[in-house]
């Protein structure tokens, strides 16, 4: 054993490696991404690592490997599980041979997600055991426990940290190499009665699963994963995850008299442990993030055993229904619940209005140029711009204001199709990034082509998965095993599914880009434009632009049209922020007085 | 002995690296350490913070308001934003050079940071102001800001180690060609 300073996600990966991990696959998504990246970095060659095209592919690959007895982990964010839910629901009936942990990171807030969905519900829905760590150290230890349970019970299990555990850092005790478990997969053993899902098998499996979960509830109650801290108090706190850590801090500081029930396995719910906890107290405050899962379970246990206890939480308005908990919100809730005084008054400082800093497209980002080209080309024409998931969702911000819809991965294509079926006089555009295109827009494109849609598909190809930190995808020609492979060509894919017009253009060449949009969007049916230019973060910045103050007439078009962080106001006139400008040259092309030079174009 | 430290500023100022260096120095001294910081979408030009905690008996990387022993503010408004986290008697080190947000540029705002510094003067007992731009010029690198701020923070004597300890850890983590510049930055004291 030795100590290391690790991010929660790194600790999860290292814990999985200590448990004899053979295969890890996933699709990037905040806050889960660093798990697979850490595993890849620690790979001594014995591990198979893959960024799959999407979560469904990742989970199916993991299932196949686990059928062979491999210990496998599949990583994704909460909305990724929606994509992988089809194989997940069936795999729950089939089961696995090697330990299989499906890591799903939830995002209370949400901080960088579309939804505040709670994977603990998915556990109950799919009937799969679920583990919920509360700290970086616990994440390291608990994932090893999760592999043991998975293999012992022959079922995939869910491991569900939240953002603050995933992205928190701590000095943690980790195993030395010789202490790690090594798993040798047996290989696939043919047995159609086990691996082929049929109604009969599903009926039998359903019976078995319910029995297993009833048993697991008892096992979990006695396992130490759901500890009760008994101070002989008449009030109790039931909590989980990072909220447990907040509660411990608060209880310590307030010296609040409470018993604490920490639920580490929300499914199957540890009913006997819950009963023991409830018997010791009169009132309970459930401190949870996302949904009131523990609160409902405790209410159920009270009903089932005829206990007269007061259960408070989200359902009773004691904890906010949405958003993440904080040290402060939990401390306040506990102080109120226990009639303890807060150690200080929250006095408001006399603070001046603070500048807001919403996230923006980077200086030199080619997406800015792409959006601006379409905006310019379609000026005065009735158009709808359907966005998608990625950095380019930020195209919604002023002054670009080019995202009319955004729903989920790959949805823009068929939303544009749907709008076009009703608003027949509107030019419908769908913007999709290259990684999102491969993940979930190809089937949408087939659907649109075959069903005679009239729309323009715009692929923003920056040759990476930028939003989550530049992961490779099938268009990049790199794999997580370090291989250089043939790229999957987006133009060929689109032509292959029947898109007749597919044009590629550099968005930073504004005139060519605008002409291309005008020409292509005027064609009938489904047509596509590929704006190809690498992510500004990945290429060496060029010489910064230079504003010629003799020529500049201070019209501020550069600022008001583009909203690039590389141009600021200094002493009442536009100026280049040299530390940010990449010299992309877009601003020189919008300046009506030819006052902006320098940049890449003049190198 | 426990320490709650809050480092705050704007994406790209080297805040995460500063946090990592404090953590690594604590690890060298066998002091338990936890941290939490902004990651992902918010980093792109947004406010960035890092909560950092040193000492035994910690449960989580974040801490409550009125708990920070020290705020290291890389930008005036960002220091003010996090002021509710400063404990009574806590100290603040601030870079006086403001960073204009894009939204302010678009609206033609005249944000200069002056009103933020005035707010800090009113509310903080021990405030140390550093002209980050000038300091970087004197040290000889526009990338020296984070080490200049860190050096100043360590010299306050709040943390359980000194500039020498941080310098030793720095030498192990940065590329050899940057050691000399970073050493100068850590020792910058004006």
């Amino acid at each position: 054993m030795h100590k290391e300073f690790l991010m929660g996600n790194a600790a999860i990966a290292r814990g999985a490696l200590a448990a004899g991990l053979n295969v890890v696959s996933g699709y990037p998504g905040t806050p889960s991404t660093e798990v697979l990246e850490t595993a890849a970095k620690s790979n001594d060659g014995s591990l198979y690592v893959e960024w799959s095209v999407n979560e469904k592919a990742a989970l199916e690959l993991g299932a196949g490997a686990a059928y062979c007895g491999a210990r496998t982990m599949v990583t994704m964010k909460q909305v990724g599980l929606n994509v992988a839910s089809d194989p997940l629901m069936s795999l729950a009936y089939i089961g696995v041979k090697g330990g299989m942990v499906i890591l799903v990171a939830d995002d209370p807030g949400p901080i960088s997600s579309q939804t505040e969905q709670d994977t603990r519900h998915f556990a109950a829905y799919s009937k799969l055991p679920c583990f919920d760590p509360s700290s970086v150290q616990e994440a390291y230890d608990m994932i090893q426990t999760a592999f043991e349970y998975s293999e012992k019970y022959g079922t995939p299990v869910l491991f569900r940290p939240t953002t603050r555990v995933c992205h928190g850092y701590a000095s943690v005790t980790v195993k030395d190499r010789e202490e790690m478990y090594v798993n040798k997969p047996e290989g696939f053993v043919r047995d159609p009665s086990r691996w082929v899902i049929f109604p009969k098998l599903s009926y039998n499996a359903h019976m078995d699963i319910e029995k297993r979960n009833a048993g697991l509830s008892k096992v979990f109650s006695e396992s130490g994963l759901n500890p009760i801290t008994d101070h002989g108090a008449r009030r109790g706190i039931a909590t989980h995850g990072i909220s447990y850590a907040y509660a411990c801090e608060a209880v310590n500081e307030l010296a609040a008299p409470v018993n604490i029930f920490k639920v580490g396995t929300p499914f199957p719910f540890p009913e006997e442990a819950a009963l023991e906890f409830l018997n010791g107290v009169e009132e309970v405050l459930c401190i949870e993030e996302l949904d009131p899962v523990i609160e409902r379970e405790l209410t159920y246990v009270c009903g089932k055993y005829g206990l007269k206890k007061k259960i408070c939480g989200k359902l009773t308005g004691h904890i906010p229904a949405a958003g993440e908990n904080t040290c402060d919100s939990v401390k306040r809730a506990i102080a109120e619940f226990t009639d303890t005084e807060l150690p200080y008054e929250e006095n408001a400082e006399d603070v001046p209005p603070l500048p807001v800093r919403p996230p923006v497209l980077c200086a030199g980002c080619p997406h800015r140029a792409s959006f601006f080209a379409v905006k310019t080309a379609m000026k005065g024409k009735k158009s709808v711009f359907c966005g998608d998931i990625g950095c380019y969702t930020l195209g919604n911000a002023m002054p670009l204001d080019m995202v009319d819809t955004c729903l989920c991965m790959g949805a823009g294509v068929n939303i544009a199709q749907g709008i076009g079926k009703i608003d027949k006089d509107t030019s419908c555009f769908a913007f999709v990034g290259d990684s999102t295109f491969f993940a979930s827009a190809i089937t949408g494109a087939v659907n649109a082509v075959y069903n005679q849609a009239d729309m323009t598909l715009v692929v923003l190809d920056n040759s990476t998965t930028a939003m989550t930190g530049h992961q490779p995808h099938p268009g990049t020609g790199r794999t997580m095993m370090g291989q250089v492979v043939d790229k999957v060509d987006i133009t060929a894919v689109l032509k292959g599914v029947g898109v007749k017009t597919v044009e590629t253009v550099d968005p930073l060449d504004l005139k060519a880009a605008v002409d291309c949009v005008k020409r292509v969007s005027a064609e009938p049916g489904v047509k596509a434009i590929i704006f190809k230019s690498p992510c500004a973060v990945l290429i060496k910045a060029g010489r910064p632009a230079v504003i010629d103050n003799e020529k500049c007439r201070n019209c501020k078009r550069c600022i008001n049209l583009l909203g690039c962080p590389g141009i600021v106001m200094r002493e009442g006139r536009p100026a280049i922020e040299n530390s940010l400008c990449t010299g992309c040259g877009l601003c020189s092309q919008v300046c009506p007085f030819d006052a902006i030079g320098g940049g890449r174009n003049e190198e | 002995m426990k320490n709650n430290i809050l480092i705050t500023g704007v994406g790209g100022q080297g805040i995460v690296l500063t946090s990592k260096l404090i953590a690594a120095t604590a690890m060298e001294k066998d002091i338990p350490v936890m941290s939490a910081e902004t990651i992902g979408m918010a980093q792109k030009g947004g406010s960035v913070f890092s909560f950092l905690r040193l000492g035994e008996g910690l449960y989580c990387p974040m801490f409550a308001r009125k708990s920070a022993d020290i705020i290291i503010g890389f930008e005036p408004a960002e220091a003010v934003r996090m002021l509710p986290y400063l404990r009574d008697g806590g100290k603040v080190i601030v870079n006086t050079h403001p960073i204009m947000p894009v939204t302010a540029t678009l609206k033609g705002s005249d944000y200069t940071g002056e009103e933020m510094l005035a707010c800090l003067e009113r509310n903080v007992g021990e405030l140390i102001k550093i002209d980050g731009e000038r300091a970087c010029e004197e040290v000889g690198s526009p990338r020296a800001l984070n080490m200049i701020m860190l050096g100043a923070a360590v010299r306050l004597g709040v943390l359980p180690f000194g500039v020498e300890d941080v310098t030793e850890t720095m030498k192990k983590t940065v590329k050899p060609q940057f050691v000399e510049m970073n050493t100068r930055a850590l020792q910058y004291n004006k």
Side-chain angles (χ1 to χ4, degrees), chain A residues 119-143:
Chain A
T119 297
R120 295 178 297 170
H121 288 309
F122 240 123
Y125 182 41
S126 61
K127 306 181 192 297
L128 294 176
C130 181
F131 296 81
D132 188 356
S134 66
S135 71
V136 177
Q137 180 73 61
E138 190 179 32
Y140 178 82
D141 299 331
M142 196 185 247
I143 190 132

Side-chain angles (χ1 to χ4, degrees), chain A residues 91-144:
Chain A
L91 186 63
Y93 285 73
I94 291 286
V96 290
K97 190 159 72 183
M100 179 174 183
V101 177
I102 302 162
L103 175 124
V104 185
D106 279 358
D107 184 22
I111 298 172
S112 44
S113 302
Q114 305 95 294
T115 71
E116 272 207 303
Q117 65 190 68
D118 191 324
T119 297
R120 295 178 297 170
H121 288 309
F122 240 123
Y125 182 41
S126 61
K127 306 181 192 297
L128 294 176
C130 181
F131 296 81
D132 188 356
S134 66
S135 71
V136 177
Q137 180 73 61
E138 190 179 32
Y140 178 82
D141 299 331
M142 196 185 247
I143 190 132
Q144 299 175 59

Side-chain angles (χ1 to χ4, degrees), chain A residues 319-531:
Chain A
I319 300 289
E324 68 167 339
N325 294 331
T326 63
C327 285
D328 290 291
S329 72
V330 167
K331 189 153 73 176
R332 234 178 354 257
I334 291 176
E336 272 169 32
F337 176 66
T338 57
D339 303 317
T340 315
E341 250 183 67
L342 278 172
Y344 57 83
E345 283 297 306
E346 290 220 11
N347 52 331
E349 280 94 359
D350 50 340
V351 169
L354 289 160
V356 285
R357 298 188 196 273
V360 289
L361 293 172
C362 302
C365 175
H367 297 332
R368 177 178 291 104
S370 302
F371 283 123
F372 186 68
V374 176
K375 189 175 185 174
T376 307
M378 299 313 291
K379 198 170 180 184
K381 292 184 190 145
K382 198 177 170 201
S383 313
V384 168
F385 306 113
C386 299
D388 224 299
I389 307 289
C391 288
Y392 50 98
T393 315
L394 297 174
N396 76 321
M398 297 303 280
L400 290 171
D401 191 18
M402 279 293 285
V403 179
D404 294 327
T405 72
C406 180
L407 188 68
C408 66
M409 289 284 288
V413 185
N414 301 116
I415 288 179
Q417 184 191 356
I419 290 173
K421 293 291 176 200
I422 303 300
D423 286 5
K424 292 185 196 302
D425 58 344
T426 303
S427 294
C428 298
F429 286 78
F431 292 87
V432 65
D434 42 351
S435 187
T436 306
F437 174 79
F438 287 114
S440 55
I442 297 175
T443 45
V446 176
N447 189 70
V449 169
Y450 186 73
N451 290 302
Q452 307 300 300
D454 187 356
M455 58 169 289
T456 308
L457 174 61
V458 179
V459 183
L460 303 169
D461 183 0
N462 60 0
S463 302
T464 189
T465 317
M467 177 61 114
T468 46
H470 303 107
Q471 289 75 26
H473 60 65
T476 63
R478 287 179 294 126
T479 74
M480 287 308 275
M481 296 303 285
Q483 302 147 298
V484 176
V485 297
D486 287 341
K487 296 175 188 178
V488 178
D489 180 42
I490 297 174
T491 303
V493 169
L494 288 171
K495 294 228 163 174
V497 304
V499 182
K500 293 201 174 62
T501 303
V502 184
E503 286 199 27
T504 299
V505 65
D506 178 0
L508 295 172
D509 182 346
L510 185 58
K511 187 174 180 309
V514 172
D515 289 348
C516 176
V517 175
K518 284 182 177 164
R519 189 171 59 242
V520 173
S521 66
E523 304 228 354
V526 178
K527 49 271 176 187
I529 298 164
I530 300 171
F531 282 120

Side-chain angles (χ1 to χ4, degrees), chain B residues 166-186:
Chain B
V166 179
T167 308
E168 283 310 305
T169 322
M170 179 271 294
K171 284 178 183 165
K172 290 180 199 163
T173 45
V174 306
K175 287 184 182 156
Q177 64 265 38
F178 298 125
V179 166
E180 202 201 320
M181 182 271 285
N182 280 315
T183 308
R184 269 204 313 278
L186 282 167

